[in-house]
Amino acid sequence: MLITVAYLYIYLMRWVRRRSDAMKRLQLINAIRKSLRCSSIQLQKTNRSCILSSGTNMSLAPGPTDWCSNLQTLVGKELVNVEVMLEKSNVRICAIEPKLIVPLNGWTSYLLNQSPFDGEKSRDIVFVILELMQCNHEVQRNQVTKLEELVNLVAWKSGRSFQAVAECTENGFCQLTRSFLDNCLVAQELLEVTSITSIDVRGQPDKMIPGAPGSQTPLSHFLKLSGIQSNSDFNNSSQQLDQDCKEELSGMYSDSDCAGEAPAEPLEEIAPEMLTPVTRKENLHGKPPNVLVYCGKKDSSRLFENVRSIFAQCLNTDKYTVYHLKHDQVKTTPWLDNTTLLIISSDKVYDGVDEVFLKYFLEGGTVVSFGSSFDAKFVTRIQTNSKSSILTLSYENWSDATFICGRHVYETSLKSLLCDVTLTCLAQDKHRGNPVILEAVHETSGGVALLSQVNFDKDPSEMAISQDIFTILKLSNSIRFEILRSLFRRLGIDSDQPVLPSLTPIVLLSCSSKSKQQFFKSLSSRLKDGHLVSKDVTLQFITDDISLSAINVTSSVIPVITDAQRISILFDFAVYKANLKTKLIGNVMFYADVITTTMNLIESLMFSLPADIGLVAVATRQTAGVGRGGNAWLSPPGCAMFSLHLRVPQRSLLGERIPFLQHIVSLAVVLGVRQKPGYENLDLCIKWPNDIYYGASMKLGGNIVKSSIMNDIIHANIGCGVNVANKDPTICINDLIQMANETSRDDSKWLNLLSTEEVIALSLNCLEDLIAKFQSDGPDGFKRLYYRYWLHGNQRVRLNSEDGPEATVIGLDEFGFLLVRLSNGQMESVQPDGNSFDMMRNLIAPKSN
């Protein structure tokens, strides 16, 4: 009995020690991960001797001073700070600030498995310097971690030791650290890694010319110079590497100048300019850049379409492709070896697919799970609600954002249900303290899983129980995307959005051939060889059969395709034309898929167009949109963006009150939607002076008006944008329509979603009607209609600062400025130009840019 108790005690103490060691190691790995961005992390073997050649030893136990001197010699700079993160009998890990920068001139580019190298570092790539020497101890084969499986070699240099510059992911560096601590990191089963240092690099490594048959790989060349005798296993591996190298070189060089005898000079002294790098075909994860999303068994195609747009805004879509992993494909297609990231967006998993997902994780895969029962494989869950609810999250720097959450939270003890898996709490319910986001790391394979009971994959409209809850969730929507990107970056996934697409030509569209002919006639006097030159942009009208591939588009010179049949565009002009009911405005259109800003187009033609041409410029994307006061105008797909030119006689009711024009434009957009039958109750409102809002909560759009006077005519250049169909990261008109449909429960009142083409046409219809009524009836009738949709009636505000005089908003004065009554009864007008309205603080203050 006593012997049994003693054995149990010994086993328990060993288990506690292993658990403690695992927690310490996890803390170390997390500290290294956080320090990689701004510091160099150096891992070095100490108190060892590595064999250089027969009978020659070199100690690898320098003191701190010698070690720092070695690094200074390596990178040519003075070290500012060295912090020891771990020091054991055989390993030292330090963080060095500032981060070491290594010039690559003098290094030789590595032939095998190399990527196109430009000396620039992307967000998820870590460059390291490796030092390798002959391994003088036995490493069990089941414990060996092969270096070449974790890094991609870029450049090398040989001397008393073999040194290499390599690149890996952040997760790969953490796996390097684990294997280094376990003393099992080797290269080609013969060389042991004795030092790893994370660095930044500058410049280009020299390129090595191809050798003839019998030429050597960098490693075998180093072994030969060092006098190290290879064992049979390594000899075979080295011969295979030599053969691989010859095959790659023979594919790149086939002419007689590069074939023949090997050069007599030593390999590292050969002229570097003759070799072109080999392009690597796989990414640094060693797998194709596929992101798979599993959405369950029922109605999964529709659910996938909903979440794909969310993830596309949190991933670099130039690097990753998002695919739907259907339920029947989980066990029948070989996706495990071809996936960089698996996302589980389903609360239930059926038919044992969770076992397949677990296998993927245990073999080193990366998984993100949102509110899924797959989490139960890792940790005990506690059900707190019978259905989805909302919670306030505490994660990193975010502490007051509200999101949709699942029915469960995680057990606070974070006891892992899997062997060799360590759990870390990343986020908690702010009010209850329950863990709601966990990170699970498999210590052996390096597999990582983020387990989240916060449904970042669900849109606020899916929890539109009430308008208040919908508003709360939408206010946190931009933070939802920020946290999602942060979680993906934690996994080494590039979450940077790709650069904007290239500029495209303008297409001339018209509602009738007559209006098109009138347009050309009005420009004939200004055209020179088909070019219309203005201050900011030159328009090149293409009227012949020039090949579209030969057309060059720049921000300063933009071709105009006059035959719309020659080019396909993203704008449905037929839908626009069917909804347009104006007599003049919008009958001729300049359209571009991608343009810098539509305002420049109108300005270039403003004084050339006659009164009977109502030109409007429309774009799907703008790369340099401009808002009021010089603010940047964000222009993602799904926004209705247009500019137009209006001629207003100076001696007219509107011409004498031109500040009203921006209010007329705002009201036209609101009425364009809300006067459509069935859409009257959508909560579209106007915020002074020129913004379109959902209630008093979130901005949906706005407008800008620039005007000039010539010959008693006011030429107004109007720019307007409103978010129609881009659900993220804030809100759009179609969000409001979906919420109305969800709360109505009456199929007869179901509202169709709107398109940008429809909203632009409806807005122009109302704009023309409102201007005509203003010119005939004056401002009083317009103001009565305007006040029905604005947010500021009898609102108490302060002027200039939070300590400024208190006033009450009365309305618009006779010239269109904001009229307020001070506490002493005095009336004061506030001009929109140079002032902004802070709705959250009821403050009218000078506008700062």
Side-chain angles (χ1 to χ4, degrees):
M1 181 66 179
L2 289 176
I3 295 175
T4 302
V5 172
Y7 274 117
L8 288 174
Y9 176 78
I10 293 171
Y11 175 80
L12 178 62
M13 293 305 295
R14 288 178 177 175
W15 182 87
V16 171
R17 190 179 300 112
R18 286 197 300 269
R19 180 71 175 177
S20 176
D21 290 344
M23 291 302 296
K24 290 178 180 178
R25 175 173 292 195
L26 182 61
Q27 292 173 357
L28 175 65
I29 295 297
N30 288 337
I32 289 174
R33 190 191 296 271
K34 291 179 180 178
S35 301
L36 270 177
R37 296 286 184 194
C38 56
S39 306
S40 284
I41 304 298
Q42 214 236 17
L43 299 81
Q44 190 179 42
K45 295 289 179 67
T46 59
N47 296 328
R48 293 181 52 84
S49 294
C50 287
I51 299 175
L52 289 176
S53 60
S54 179
T56 302
N57 293 341
M58 183 187 80
S59 174
L60 285 182
T65 303
D66 295 334
W67 174 68
C68 292
S69 298
N70 291 339
L71 280 176
Q72 289 172 7
T73 301
L74 175 67
V75 301
K77 68 186 293 184
E78 182 178 355
L79 302 179
V80 176
N81 182 48
V82 178
E83 177 186 354
V84 177
M85 305 176 74
L86 175 70
E87 188 157 18
K88 299 173 68 175
S89 59
N90 62 335
V91 174
R92 179 191 290 118
I93 300 180
C94 296
I96 306 163
E97 291 184 355
K99 196 164 190 178
L100 305 178
I101 300 176
V102 176
L104 291 180
N105 52 302
W107 293 72
T108 305
S109 62
Y110 201 89
L111 284 175
L112 299 176
N113 295 327
Q114 71 181 34
S115 62
F117 184 73
D118 57 8
E120 296 294 332
K121 180 182 175 212
S122 67
R123 291 183 61 91
D124 59 343
I125 292 179
V126 178
F127 285 100
V128 295
I129 283 185
L130 307 164
E131 186 170 332
L132 301 95
M133 292 191 176
Q134 185 182 14
C135 183
N136 65 341
H137 64 94
E138 292 294 330
V139 179
Q140 297 181 15
R141 286 188 174 273
N142 60 351
Q143 294 179 340
V144 166
T145 299
K146 295 181 179 180
L147 176 68
E148 51 270 29
E149 294 179 353
L150 298 177
V151 303
N152 184 66
L153 295 175
V154 172
W156 64 281
K157 180 188 292 184
S158 67
R160 291 198 305 165
S161 63
F162 182 84
Q163 295 178 347
V165 173
E167 57 183 1
C168 62
T169 62
E170 289 185 5
N171 282 343
F173 188 87
C174 293
Q175 184 59 36
L176 281 175
T177 302
R178 295 187 186 97
S179 301
F180 191 86
L181 292 173
D182 292 336
N183 201 30
C184 63
L185 187 61
V186 299
Q188 302 302 328
E189 301 185 13
L190 181 65
L191 295 179
E192 180 182 6
V193 179
T194 59
S195 176
I196 304 173
T197 307
S198 66
I199 58 171
D200 274 343
V201 297
R202 295 291 184 270
Q204 298 277 354
D206 297 335
K207 299 174 184 177
M208 182 175 64
I209 69 167
S215 64
Q216 300 160 322
T217 64
L219 284 177
S220 60
H221 177 66
F222 162 69
L223 295 175
K224 179 177 180 181
L225 292 178
S226 303
I228 299 176
Q229 300 299 318
S230 13
N231 56 33
S232 57
D233 290 339
F234 180 78
N235 191 45
N236 294 334
S237 176
S238 179
Q239 290 175 2
Q240 181 59 48
L241 282 172
D242 287 340
Q243 182 60 35
D244 292 341
C245 185
K246 295 170 198 173
E247 290 175 359
E248 289 199 49
L249 294 177
S250 64
M252 291 188 291
Y253 297 92
S254 57
D255 52 62
S256 58
D257 291 338
C258 292
E261 296 185 357
E265 295 90 342
L267 199 55
E268 53 267 47
E269 296 178 6
I270 295 174
E273 64 271 9
M274 298 180 63
L275 183 64
T276 301
V278 181
T279 300
R280 187 180 52 177
K281 295 182 180 180
E282 290 187 333
N283 67 343
L284 289 172
H285 293 275
K287 298 177 180 179
N290 299 331
V291 175
L292 302 190
V293 182
Y294 175 81
C295 296
K297 188 175 183 179
K298 301 176 182 178
D299 200 21
S300 65
S301 295
R302 181 186 64 83
L303 295 173
F304 172 71
E305 291 302 323
N306 290 342
V307 300
R308 177 166 58 178
S309 62
I310 296 173
F311 297 139
Q313 296 185 66
C314 299
L315 300 169
N316 187 333
T317 51
D318 284 348
K319 290 189 175 182
Y320 307 101
T321 305
V322 180
Y323 293 105
H324 182 195
L325 179 62
K326 298 180 180 179
H327 181 77
D328 57 3
Q329 294 175 329
V330 174
K331 295 182 178 180
T332 59
T333 56
W335 61 269
L336 284 85
D337 294 329
N338 298 290
T339 302
T340 292
L341 174 65
L342 169 66
I343 299 175
I344 304 173
S345 180
S346 173
D347 59 341
K348 296 180 180 180
V349 288
Y350 302 90
D351 306 329
V353 298
D354 54 345
E355 294 295 336
V356 182
F357 296 158
L358 182 62
K359 178 176 183 290
Y360 171 71
F361 163 79
L362 295 175
E363 293 179 353
T366 304
V367 182
V368 177
S369 168
F370 294 110
S372 171
S373 59
F374 176 71
D375 297 2
K377 293 286 185 182
F378 295 80
V379 64
T380 300
R381 305 187 305 168
I382 302 171
Q383 183 170 338
T384 56
N385 296 288
S386 58
K387 57 183 180 180
S388 295
S389 60
I390 63 173
L391 62 76
T392 302
L393 186 69
S394 177
Y395 171 71
E396 291 188 350
N397 297 325
W398 297 279
S399 59
D400 292 311
T402 303
F403 305 104
I404 302 172
C405 69
R407 297 178 294 117
H408 300 84
V409 295
Y410 302 116
E411 187 183 58
T412 55
S413 65
L414 299 186
K415 180 181 178 181
S416 174
L417 303 180
L418 298 172
C419 296
D420 298 324
V421 172
T422 305
L423 300 177
T424 304
C425 177
L426 301 183
Q428 297 174 313
D429 182 332
K430 179 181 178 180
H431 299 302
R432 299 180 181 177
N434 302 114
V436 289
I437 303 179
L438 303 181
E439 180 183 61
V441 178
H442 191 254
E443 291 293 332
T444 304
S445 69
V448 182
L450 290 183
L451 313 175
S452 174
Q453 282 298 315
V454 182
N455 294 120
F456 293 112
D457 57 333
K458 293 189 181 300
D459 185 82
S461 61
E462 297 182 47
M463 272 292 291
I465 300 173
S466 69
Q467 185 169 341
D468 290 340
I469 290 180
F470 175 79
T471 300
I472 291 172
L473 292 172
K474 269 296 183 180
L475 287 172
S476 297
N477 209 31
S478 59
I479 299 177
R480 174 169 71 110
F481 282 80
E482 291 175 16
I483 294 178
L484 259 178
R485 295 185 187 103
S486 174
L487 292 172
F488 284 143
R489 285 194 295 269
R490 185 179 182 89
L491 297 173
I493 301 296
D494 188 348
S495 62
D496 288 344
Q497 292 296 286
V499 296
L500 289 173
S502 301
L503 300 177
T504 61
I506 296 169
V507 181
L508 178 62
L509 304 166
S510 64
C511 294
S512 68
S513 58
K514 180 181 178 180
S515 58
K516 185 175 181 180
Q517 291 171 0
Q518 290 175 325
F519 174 78
F520 277 119
K521 183 178 179 180
S522 66
L523 297 181
S524 58
S525 62
R526 287 191 59 189
L527 290 179
K528 296 181 180 179
D529 298 326
H531 290 72
L532 190 151
V533 180
S534 64
K535 181 183 69 171
D536 296 317
V537 65
T538 296
L539 301 180
Q540 176 189 3
F541 287 85
I542 307 297
T543 57
D544 48 24
D545 293 330
I546 296 176
S547 172
L548 295 182
S549 61
I551 294 176
N552 183 36
V553 184
T554 68
S555 59
S556 58
V557 180
I558 307 178
V560 180
I561 309 298
T562 57
D563 182 2
Q565 303 298 321
R566 296 186 59 197
I567 188 170
S568 60
I569 57 177
L570 301 177
F571 188 83
D572 194 333
F573 188 73
V575 172
Y576 167 83
K577 185 177 177 181
N579 285 276
L580 189 69
K581 308 299 180 185
T582 63
K583 297 177 181 179
L584 178 64
I585 296 177
N587 59 10
V588 177
M589 178 184 290
F590 272 175
Y591 171 79
D593 287 339
V594 184
I595 200 169
T596 52
T597 171
T598 55
M599 293 289 283
N600 284 351
L601 300 181
I602 298 299
E603 288 176 357
S604 66
L605 299 169
M606 191 158 54
F607 301 115
S608 301
L609 297 176
D612 56 351
I613 296 294
L615 178 67
V616 62
V618 177
T620 294
R621 297 287 299 271
Q622 290 186 125
T623 61
V626 178
R628 178 173 167 264
N631 291 329
W633 189 296
L634 300 180
S635 308
C639 290
M641 296 173 291
F642 60 94
S643 297
L644 68 150
H645 168 245
L646 291 180
R647 296 162 55 97
V648 181
Q650 186 178 4
R651 292 181 175 85
S652 66
L653 289 175
L654 180 57
E656 293 172 349
R657 300 166 179 82
I658 203 64
F660 270 102
L661 186 54
Q662 63 183 327
H663 308 314
I664 293 174
V665 175
S666 296
L667 182 59
V669 175
V670 171
L671 289 180
V673 175
R674 295 188 63 167
Q675 285 187 347
K676 186 177 173 64
Y679 296 75
E680 299 89 347
N681 294 324
L682 295 183
D683 198 9
L684 287 181
C685 300
I686 299 168
K687 169 183 169 290
W688 181 87
N690 63 338
D691 289 333
I692 300 160
Y693 260 56
Y694 157 59
S697 305
M698 283 166 279
K699 182 175 178 177
L700 280 161
N703 71 79
I704 179 176
V705 178
K706 297 180 179 181
S707 58
S708 302
I709 301 177
M710 179 178 289
N711 298 329
D712 294 331
I713 295 294
I714 297 175
H715 294 265
N717 185 4
I718 301 170
C720 184
V722 60
N723 190 353
V724 177
N726 192 311
K727 298 171 68 67
D728 303 303
T730 55
I731 195 170
C732 64
I733 291 176
N734 284 342
D735 276 334
L736 308 185
I737 296 173
Q738 286 183 320
M739 183 176 67
N741 289 335
E742 291 291 333
T743 56
S744 171
R745 301 175 182 270
D746 186 348
D747 292 342
S748 64
K749 297 182 179 179
W750 184 267
L751 304 178
N752 293 323
L753 301 182
L754 299 178
S755 66
T756 57
E757 296 88 345
E758 193 173 2
V759 170
I760 293 173
L762 295 175
S763 300
L764 296 181
N765 295 340
C766 289
L767 178 62
E768 190 173 78
D769 289 342
L770 288 171
I771 291 174
K773 290 179 181 178
F774 194 102
Q775 291 287 44
S776 62
D777 302 336
D780 292 341
F782 169 79
K783 287 195 289 185
R784 286 193 295 271
L785 182 60
Y786 180 81
Y787 293 153
R788 290 174 55 186
Y789 300 99
W790 86 324
L791 297 167
H792 310 300
N794 295 319
Q795 188 170 2
R796 301 287 293 176
V797 299
R798 288 190 180 273
L799 304 181
N800 302 321
S801 70
E802 292 182 347
D803 298 324
E806 194 176 61
T808 301
V809 175
I810 301 301
L812 301 178
D813 70 8
E814 60 179 321
F815 297 104
F817 301 140
L818 187 69
L819 185 65
V820 300
R821 184 195 302 117
L822 300 178
S823 56
N824 61 6
Q826 179 182 346
M827 295 293 187
E828 184 171 322
S829 292
V830 181
Q831 297 187 21
D833 291 337
N835 290 289
S836 65
F837 197 120
D838 189 331
M839 297 241 353
M840 303 305 295
R841 296 188 296 166
N842 290 338
L843 175 66
I844 297 177
K847 190 174 183 68
S848 60
N849 297 317

